[in-house]
Amino acid sequence: MVRVNKFKIFIYLFISILFYILAFPPFNFSFLIFFTLIPLFSLLPEITQRKAFILGFLYGIGYNSVNFYWIPRLVSHFTSIGLSIFVYLLLIIYLSLYYGVFLWGVKRKENSIFFPAFFMVFIQWIRCHGPLAFNWGSFGEPLVHIYPLLQWASIFGELGLVFLVVLVNTVIARFRESDFKRKISFIFVFISLFIVGIFIGRGDYNSFMKVGAVQGSYDSFSKYFYTNIYDQFQVHKELTLNLPDNLDLVVWAESVLFCFLNHSPIYLKELGELAEFKNTNLLLGSLEMNGRNIYNSAYLITRDGRYKVHRKVQLVPFVEEVPFPFNYVIPEYFRGLIGNYSSGPGFYPLSIDGKKIGVLICFESLFSDPSKILSQRHSDIIVVITNDGWFQGTPAVYQHKNQSLLRGVENRRPIVQVANTGITFFADPYGRIIKETKEGEKVAIYGEVPKGSFSFYTFWGDMPMFLGFLIFLLIKLIKE
């Protein structure tokens, strides 16, 4: 094995991290995601498996430290800056371990074209499940800005986009050593993906629902530090009154009323009167208490003043809950900083006027499974209510928007996202923006969203990706 120059490793690592960062908001040079792994792959023949793990880990550290630079400032509102930095370091170290494992595995199978892509799909799936699930900054996310390739999410989901990105990185890294026939085949396949993507992304626009959205642009921290939230209610009420009457649905953001709304008859009465006066259904975020259980919930106030509830299922680990088994080892001081929320019973659409509304609350829109389940249960539209004011003014706002767009395209459902400080938007089932607010605006918008259509991904989920991985492994075993 050739001894590799440390300066060369540093330069190649820096280029890989830079390409990743530039592919994401606020830069959005999305095509660079197809080159981010090439410098790392080119180093693999010159390093050991142990060094491959370290290289992948450092790659993760590099871009995650930029991706989450806003974490210390956010956490410092609730505790000391020292502890805030400690939380930040723990998060980026945890997420970077996945990339260490990835490059370690690729080194073991460095002669395989397809193994890196399948292995990253497997790792990405693990990242999205379990008590520490956290899907942020996946390789598939930048493709929301490459319209023809984005459409493949309706067949293979976000994992399919991850597979494509890693496969292209692998092929380009080995392009020079490939024979002419393989080079032509790769170019043909990639161009075909573009052409077919354009074809499957041609959707008709038939109006299905008239929707309004209220972006109150309130301070996210006010709900913790001020007990009087009536002013926030008044702002949202006045903006709602400016909307046209007879809309099918008006949506407010997550935690607009930071109180136990089911135990607040005055607010419930006023909300019911507002819905009746505007002849609309009103969806908003608030808290719910049932016995000892506290839920982060979405309330659907119907035209007749009654209400239905969706309780948040996918809670943010170490923010809204202490996940098992960490609840046995977390010191009492840290428990006091973490919300004591309960998880809802599952993902079920809310019905209004013969239509079904699939609701995702903030963190839930980062994952494919919740919106897929809601779509399988015949949701006509996916509504995301979120409190993105925590990271207002950072690229994280736009990354959350990208994730919500992916959920719509995966399931061929229109998306309505309403964020307290932005970005609030409507998008069609193909990921095209219909209407959008600016960050920090205090505004109410309305528009018509189209009807959804059939999605292969909704039908079969991630099964094709894992079936392909299984077939690939069986073929490798037979050959060996």
Side-chain angles (χ1 to χ4, degrees):
M1 184 173 292
V2 179
R3 183 177 177 84
V4 64
N5 184 285
K6 290 183 179 179
F7 181 72
K8 178 183 177 181
I9 292 178
F10 173 80
I11 293 297
Y12 279 33
L13 178 61
F14 176 79
I15 292 171
S16 286
I17 294 169
L18 182 65
F19 281 179
Y20 177 94
I21 292 169
L22 292 176
F24 282 81
F27 309 103
N28 290 325
F29 297 116
S30 304
F31 67 94
L32 290 177
I33 203 66
F34 290 112
F35 301 91
T36 182
L37 295 172
I38 294 173
L40 303 182
F41 286 165
S42 67
L43 289 171
L44 288 180
E46 306 175 41
I47 60 176
T48 63
Q49 274 186 254
R50 176 176 163 274
K51 288 184 177 178
F53 174 85
I54 295 172
L55 186 64
F57 178 73
L58 292 176
Y59 170 69
I61 289 289
Y63 78 72
N64 279 315
S65 61
V66 174
N67 228 352
F68 297 103
Y69 75 89
W70 45 270
I71 290 285
R73 186 184 67 176
L74 167 61
V75 179
S76 67
H77 282 86
F78 307 98
T79 187
S80 67
I81 187 64
L83 184 56
S84 303
I85 293 172
F86 176 70
V87 169
Y88 166 68
L89 292 175
L90 276 182
L91 176 64
I92 64 175
I93 288 170
Y94 162 68
L95 293 175
S96 299
L97 288 172
Y98 287 107
Y99 295 92
V101 172
F102 168 66
L103 220 56
W104 171 85
V106 173
K107 171 61 182 176
R108 290 198 63 175
K109 301 287 184 181
E110 61 182 294
N111 294 322
S112 172
I113 292 289
F114 290 99
F115 178 78
F118 278 124
F119 191 45
M120 176 49 76
V121 164
F122 179 65
I123 288 173
Q124 185 69 28
W125 185 88
I126 292 174
R127 267 186 64 176
C128 294
H129 293 82
L132 298 180
F134 198 87
N135 181 33
W136 193 273
S138 82
F139 286 135
E141 185 185 315
L143 299 196
V144 298
H145 299 294
I146 305 177
Y147 185 78
L149 297 182
L150 171 63
Q151 303 313 309
W152 288 96
S154 68
I155 301 176
F156 299 112
E158 185 176 4
L159 289 185
L161 302 186
V162 170
F163 178 89
L164 175 62
V165 167
V166 178
L167 180 62
V168 171
N169 272 272
T170 307
V171 171
I172 295 176
R174 302 176 186 183
F175 201 72
R176 282 195 304 174
E177 58 194 59
S178 301
D179 57 39
F180 179 75
K181 186 177 178 181
R182 285 193 174 185
K183 289 177 180 177
I184 294 299
S185 297
F186 167 71
I187 294 170
F188 173 77
V189 169
F190 195 68
I191 292 174
S192 298
L193 288 173
F194 259 89
I195 294 172
V196 175
I198 292 171
F199 176 76
I200 63 178
R202 296 188 306 169
D204 296 327
Y205 193 100
N206 298 314
S207 177
F208 177 64
M209 285 184 70
K210 296 178 180 179
V211 181
V214 176
Q215 181 176 298
S217 198
Y218 60 87
D219 179 8
S220 292
F221 301 100
S222 67
K223 68 184 190 181
Y224 288 104
F225 302 132
Y226 305 129
T227 56
N228 184 7
I229 57 172
Y230 190 72
D231 56 340
Q232 288 180 188
F233 171 74
Q234 284 297 114
V235 167
H236 285 76
K237 180 180 178 179
E238 289 168 10
L239 289 171
T240 302
L241 290 171
N242 291 332
L243 290 169
D245 295 341
N246 306 313
L247 296 177
D248 294 301
L249 182 68
V250 172
V251 187
W252 297 0
E254 177 192 14
S255 301
V256 168
L257 301 179
F258 199 68
C259 63
F260 301 118
L261 189 56
N262 60 324
H263 293 293
S264 303
I266 295 176
Y267 283 128
L268 283 173
K269 181 175 181 292
E270 290 208 40
L271 289 167
E273 290 173 350
L274 179 62
E276 185 177 358
F277 179 77
K278 297 297 290 183
N279 191 32
T280 188
N281 300 288
L282 178 60
L283 181 72
L284 71 149
S286 189
L287 300 181
E288 180 189 5
M289 177 182 282
N290 280 320
R292 294 184 177 181
N293 294 324
I294 297 173
Y295 300 96
N296 183 354
S297 295
Y299 288 75
L300 179 63
I301 314 292
T302 58
R303 300 177 198 270
D304 59 6
R306 301 179 183 180
Y307 72 88
K308 308 171 185 179
V309 175
H310 162 72
R311 296 163 180 163
K312 188 174 184 180
V313 180
Q314 186 103 29
L315 302 177
V316 184
F318 302 108
V319 176
E320 294 178 310
E321 68 165 348
V322 181
F324 176 85
F326 299 95
N327 51 326
Y328 292 108
V329 296
I330 293 289
E332 195 63 35
Y333 170 76
F334 292 102
R335 284 172 174 272
L337 300 175
I338 298 169
N340 186 29
Y341 292 99
S342 298
S343 181
F347 295 98
Y348 298 94
L350 301 175
S351 298
I352 53 165
D353 306 330
K355 301 178 177 70
K356 290 189 175 182
I357 313 299
V359 181
L360 300 175
I361 301 177
C362 193
F363 189 64
E364 293 176 329
S365 69
L366 301 188
F367 306 94
S368 296
D369 285 350
S371 54
K372 180 189 69 180
I373 293 169
L374 287 168
S375 299
Q376 288 172 339
R377 290 173 174 164
H378 311 294
S379 294
D380 296 299
I381 181 175
I382 303 295
V383 177
V384 180
I385 60 171
T386 183
N387 178 5
D388 286 354
W390 300 121
F391 33 79
Q392 185 180 4
T394 76
V397 171
Y398 298 91
Q399 285 184 261
H400 196 183
K401 174 193 169 186
N402 291 345
Q403 283 293 334
S404 294
L405 278 172
L406 274 170
R407 304 293 82 84
V409 176
E410 282 177 331
N411 299 286
R412 287 294 189 230
R413 296 294 187 273
I415 281 282
V416 171
Q417 174 173 297
V418 180
N420 59 327
T421 57
I423 295 174
T424 295
F425 69 90
F426 307 156
D428 73 7
Y430 300 88
R432 295 173 295 203
I433 299 296
I434 298 169
K435 193 162 283 190
E436 183 178 45
T437 67
K438 295 178 182 178
E439 192 180 3
E441 272 189 304
K442 187 174 290 186
V443 65
I445 61 173
Y446 65 94
E448 298 181 353
V449 296
K451 190 174 179 61
S453 59
F454 176 78
S455 159
F456 282 102
Y457 180 73
T458 301
F459 175 70
W460 59 38
D462 296 317
M463 185 177 66
M465 299 306 304
F466 285 99
L467 190 60
F469 193 18
L470 181 62
I471 293 171
F472 168 79
L473 292 175
L474 287 174
I475 291 172
K476 294 293 286 185
L477 285 172
I478 292 169
K479 284 186 176 181
E480 293 176 2

